[in-house]
Amino acid sequence: MKLPRTTRLRAAAAGSLALAGALVLGACGSDDNTGGSGSAGGGAQAAADDVKCAGSGELLASGSSAQKNAMDQWVSDFQGVCPDITVNYKATGSGAGIQEFLQGKTGFAGSDSVLKPEEVQASKKVCRNGEAINIPMLGGPIAIGYNVEGVDDLVLNADVVGRIFSGAITTWNDPAIADLNPDADLPDTKIQPVHRSDESGTTDNFTQYLAAAAENTWPHQPGKKWPVQGGQAADGSSGVSAQVKQTDGAISYFELSFATASDINTVKLDTGAKEPVEATSQNASKAIAAAKVTGSGKDLAMQLDFTTDTEGAYPLTLLTYEIACDQGNHKDNLDKVKSFLGYTASEAGQSKLSQLGYAPLPAEVVGKVRTTVESLS
């Protein structure tokens, strides 16, 4: 008998939490991290053990909407321990966040894609005697969420996803979809693809996945700006997920936490493995564990394999980076940035991620992140 969706999500979250203990450096499972979002108690105590409260006043930051739910949790826990610091993070999208950082308006930015060479060059104007670096902080699956009446279990492969989002497949009972879902009662409802209207790291990762895994059906170059003309659009992950929730026939891409929060059905991907892979934190962690660090020095940019067919590895996964100066951070922000990012990279900060639909960093990566954050100057 098929379990209700909410039961399946709880089971997936439980499995992800178990894997998190194995991936996060030094995690021993002794802290009580079972409190809900924004809870005090065990989460606040864990933060107190792991955080050095340094500096005071407001810390401004902006960028990735993919990490918004994690950031809300982190800020709540951090400020419960460091009340003299107010962290104000605005989920403006990765592109806007990087631009505000390069203009010297924020202490750090959040981005779901690594800095471009020209952005690194531009950062030298705000990073005195230094430059901006990519500091990975969390991972997670980009869910392909859909709203089709009567369909709550759907399998797609990369080629079909590419044809849907390029406009080549227009109805839900198209033979290409039916072949992958022989037991589904697919309606002739019109497909309503929804994309991000803002420049987005989530869009960048989604189009990188399509360019790599669906090269025969997706002719567009990857990037933060959606490349296909027409179709429905909305701002931020919250905007596109809300559009899917209220539109029969809609499909879009957003982080798993937004699908979970709105109870939106998500696609299982046929990757060539024995079984289609569901978008879960646990399955994303398997893909992240195989990622390679490609940055040099303090820069920890990483490369994911979007074409993996490893059993249980969900390939449509992103890494969110915090962007800061390796040296030359503004003196009013430096202590606050190191204090806050030190918490997000700590055992306590990372252990909250699976509960929220994200994937913690692998042990060897989070160790490098902590060293890098401590070295910021």
Side-chain angles (χ1 to χ4, degrees), residues 82-93:
C82 302
D84 291 337
I85 302 174
T86 300
V87 181
N88 186 346
Y89 181 86
K90 295 183 179 179
T92 56

Side-chain angles (χ1 to χ4, degrees), residues 62-109:
S62 64
S64 165
S65 65
Q67 68 173 350
K68 180 183 183 302
N69 295 331
M71 191 61 69
D72 287 346
Q73 177 73 64
W74 282 335
V75 169
S76 176
D77 289 348
F78 176 79
Q79 291 184 167
V81 178
C82 302
D84 291 337
I85 302 174
T86 300
V87 181
N88 186 346
Y89 181 86
K90 295 183 179 179
T92 56
S94 298
I98 289 174
Q99 287 306 306
E100 288 195 331
F101 176 79
L102 295 178
Q103 293 165 2
K105 296 180 179 179
T106 55
F108 70 91

